[in-house]
Amino acid sequence: MSAPPIHPRLPVPGLAGLLALASAIACSAAASGRTVPPAGPTLAAGYPEAALVDMYRNGQLGAYCSGALVAPSVVLTAGHCVKGASGFVPDAWTVALPYNRAQRIDAAGAATYDWETTDGTVDPGKHDVGLVFLAAPARVAPAQCPALAAAPVTDASSIVHIGRLRRGRISTSDLFVGDAVPVTDGAAAGFPFDYGAEALIEAGDSGGPVEVPGASPHLIVAVSSAAAPGQSEVLARVDLVGDWIRRQILEHGGPCGPL
């Protein structure tokens, strides 16, 4: 099985589905559609961790991604939102938190666990997980920081996506939460570090948190990675790189604590 393409802001290859093909990585150039279920996505105002991640190269805005604030100075996103794709490799990031005091903070750097720049396709042998480190800590109450899954969720568990696409339009000011859909183990389709699900993500949703609906605190199980619209998607699991994420949080200002 070929690797699914990812959705960079740049032009992407044609898509074919999770099990046959190539699906695309989900950063975005401007406006690209999302497959919208009947109810459609709603404003993610109840998710203070939800983050807009803008990617720059040589001072120019080049791509859009989504993410989640997991510590005052650390934003979780997709690995390809850090490393980019051939033709556009970012060297700077800006993060906005529209539902947490409307904060907007530049990044001091970013890292991935093992992801590298690709030609726009997902590498099933690597983890599409990245972190952006803020130049100044966000103001955040401990209760506003989500938890990260330490174990896999079972097949058919419900999850929701958070991203910046709504009804085919990319937003530069808001994020949206979609309807709950079931997940499956991506290993059966050749993606051992991912979950599979009905395709909801599109360009701009890459890196957005995939969460268990109704969990308190909010529980992130994966980040949006790649999709073949109307067919299947892969979601990069965070439990598999949890130790690395926690170590990076400790090295970049520490976890959430009293304001």
Side-chain angles (χ1 to χ4, degrees), residues 96-114:
L97 303 168
Y99 313 119
N100 192 332
R101 301 178 176 88
Q103 299 173 83
R104 185 174 179 84
I105 306 172
D106 290 335
T112 66
Y113 180 78
D114 60 0

Side-chain angles (χ1 to χ4, degrees), residues 114-169:
D114 60 0
W115 192 263
E116 295 296 339
T117 301
T118 72
D119 61 358
T121 59
V122 169
D123 183 345
K126 295 185 183 294
H127 304 76
D128 191 11
V129 175
L131 298 173
V132 173
F133 307 121
L134 303 182
R139 293 174 294 159
V140 55
Q144 293 176 312
C145 277
L148 298 174
V153 296
T154 57
D155 273 5
S157 295
S158 291
I159 52 90
V160 293
H161 305 70
I162 298 171
R164 60 197 297 171
L165 263 288
R166 185 184 191 190
R167 303 193 187 284
R169 294 181 179 275

Side-chain angles (χ1 to χ4, degrees), residues 3-7 14-18 21-25 120-122 226-228 232-234:
I6 43 192
H7 293 275
L15 308 181
L18 180 59
L21 72 198
S23 132
I25 286 184
T121 59
V122 169
S232 304
E233 66 185 13
V234 289

Side-chain angles (χ1 to χ4, degrees), residues 21 45 50 59 81 87 91 99 104 109 159 171 175 188 191 209 224 243 257 259:
L21 72 198
C81 296
D91 59 15
Y99 313 119
R104 185 174 179 84
I159 52 90
S171 176
L175 295 104
F191 292 84
S224 296
D243 288 344
L259 289 174

